[in-house]
Amino acid sequence: MSLAKPAMRGLLGKRLRFHLPIAFTLSLVAAAAFKFTVTEPRKQAYADFYKQYDAVKEFNAMKEAGIFESVRPSGE
Amino acid sequence: VRVFLKKQKVLKSFFTLRTAGSVNVLDCSLPQYNCRLDTPLPDVPFVRELTNQQRALKEKEKGDWRSLTKEEKLALYRLTHQFSYAEMRQGSSEWKTVLGGVFIMLGFSGLLLWWQRVYVYGPVPRTLTPDWTEKQTQRMIDMRVNPVHGFSAHWDYDRKQWK
């Protein structure tokens, strides 16, 4: 029985040379995916919301609903 | 039958007998046999008490190994080792039993908790009654809670209903 001598050295180096590029690539892909599927749409949604936002109108609607304590609805 | 005989062999060589009042005591100060993937060479051979036939085989082992037949080599291996690497690595179906038992106990606990909810617990606090939660939801809509993505974003303020 003559088997080939197994690799005795450089095992960690071999493993790192294989796994590190994959790890870095996958991490970058995950970060990019999160950026373009979550953060960019979220920023856009907030921008769109506040483009057409009338603060005074919203305040008056909230006042009429009666949620404030300092300023009551116009009826009272 | 083979499994049963193996089990007997296991029990026989597992305990180094110290007949102190005829009690089977495992003497942990002596080297023990171990069957582990990460420790290749056990401290003691598996079979300690050899029959005459096995002793003759051990004598033959002291000579030229090329004179040993395949069966003899296997017999010598089985004298010093309990399992081969393949046998050590093979799993069992025990996980099915364990998982089944876990699910049964979870289900039974669920039934107990259900009975408890119906027959033991009192009424919920008033803040969780439908009346209160309706008023609470209306107030949250009036306050415009999370109007961009969240709560109030799903309420249609013109038609006064959920989108």
Side-chain angles (χ1 to χ4, degrees):
Chain A
M1 280 202 291
S2 53
L3 299 165
K5 182 175 176 181
M8 309 289 267
R9 291 155 174 255
L11 299 164
L12 179 63
K14 182 172 162 211
R15 180 187 167 82
L16 287 178
R17 252 174 285 123
F18 180 76
H19 282 100
L20 274 179
I22 296 173
F24 274 98
T25 319
L26 282 179
S27 310
L28 284 171
V29 165
F34 190 80
K35 182 183 176 69
F36 290 112
T37 56
V38 178
T39 63
E40 286 304 314
R42 192 176 282 172
K43 288 200 284 195
Q44 193 56 42
Y46 271 79
D48 293 338
F49 179 81
Y50 282 109
K51 211 175 291 181
Q52 305 295 331
Y53 187 68
D54 185 359
V56 179
K57 174 167 160 259
E58 293 291 322
F59 168 74
N60 283 324
M62 282 193 252
K63 185 185 80 157
E64 294 309 319
I67 60 161
F68 295 125
E69 289 180 23
S70 52
V71 45
R72 300 303 302 166
S74 45
E76 294 176 19
Chain B
V1 173
R2 205 155 152 247
V3 174
F4 182 70
L5 284 176
K6 254 196 203 156
K7 205 169 179 187
Q8 279 196 319
K9 245 196 191 173
V10 167
L11 288 170
K12 197 168 83 157
S13 45
F14 229 64
F15 299 104
T16 20
L17 282 174
R18 232 183 27 188
T19 51
S22 67
V23 174
N24 267 13
V25 179
L26 180 64
D27 191 351
C28 290
S29 62
L30 296 174
Q32 304 295 327
Y33 175 77
N34 63 277
C35 224
R36 298 174 57 98
L37 289 171
D38 51 4
T39 316
L41 298 173
D43 298 326
V44 292
F46 181 54
V47 178
R48 299 296 295 278
E49 297 86 31
L50 301 170
T51 66
N52 284 329
Q53 200 182 16
Q54 288 167 337
R55 236 171 299 200
L57 190 56
K58 279 297 206 184
E59 287 299 317
K60 193 173 175 195
E61 193 191 13
K62 291 181 184 168
D64 190 2
W65 285 347
R66 278 174 288 203
S67 63
L68 295 168
T69 67
K70 186 170 165 225
E71 290 78 25
E72 284 172 338
K73 287 182 196 169
L74 280 174
L76 281 167
Y77 181 85
R78 289 292 168 185
L79 282 180
T80 48
H81 299 84
Q82 184 187 8
F83 293 127
S84 68
Y85 270 85
E87 285 163 6
M88 270 193 270
R89 284 201 188 103
Q90 74 183 165
S92 65
S93 291
E94 192 188 5
W95 66 272
K96 297 178 196 165
T97 316
V98 170
L99 209 60
V102 165
F103 285 146
I104 288 170
M105 294 317 289
L106 283 176
F108 180 65
S109 312
L111 287 173
L112 280 180
L113 285 174
W114 187 5
W115 179 88
Q116 203 176 30
R117 175 68 188 83
V118 172
Y119 288 106
V120 178
Y121 290 163
V124 284
R126 61 182 173 143
T127 52
L128 292 174
T129 56
D131 189 44
W132 190 285
T133 51
E134 275 172 20
K135 294 206 189 102
Q136 185 174 282
T137 318
Q138 181 58 56
R139 196 177 144 80
M140 282 167 76
I141 291 167
D142 291 337
M143 283 199 286
R144 272 89 173 140
V145 167
N146 287 335
V148 182
H149 267 315
F151 194 76
S152 306
H154 301 300
W155 178 259
D156 190 353
Y157 282 94
D158 299 320
R159 274 178 289 163
K160 302 226 188 307
Q161 59 185 11
W162 292 109
K163 285 184 188 160

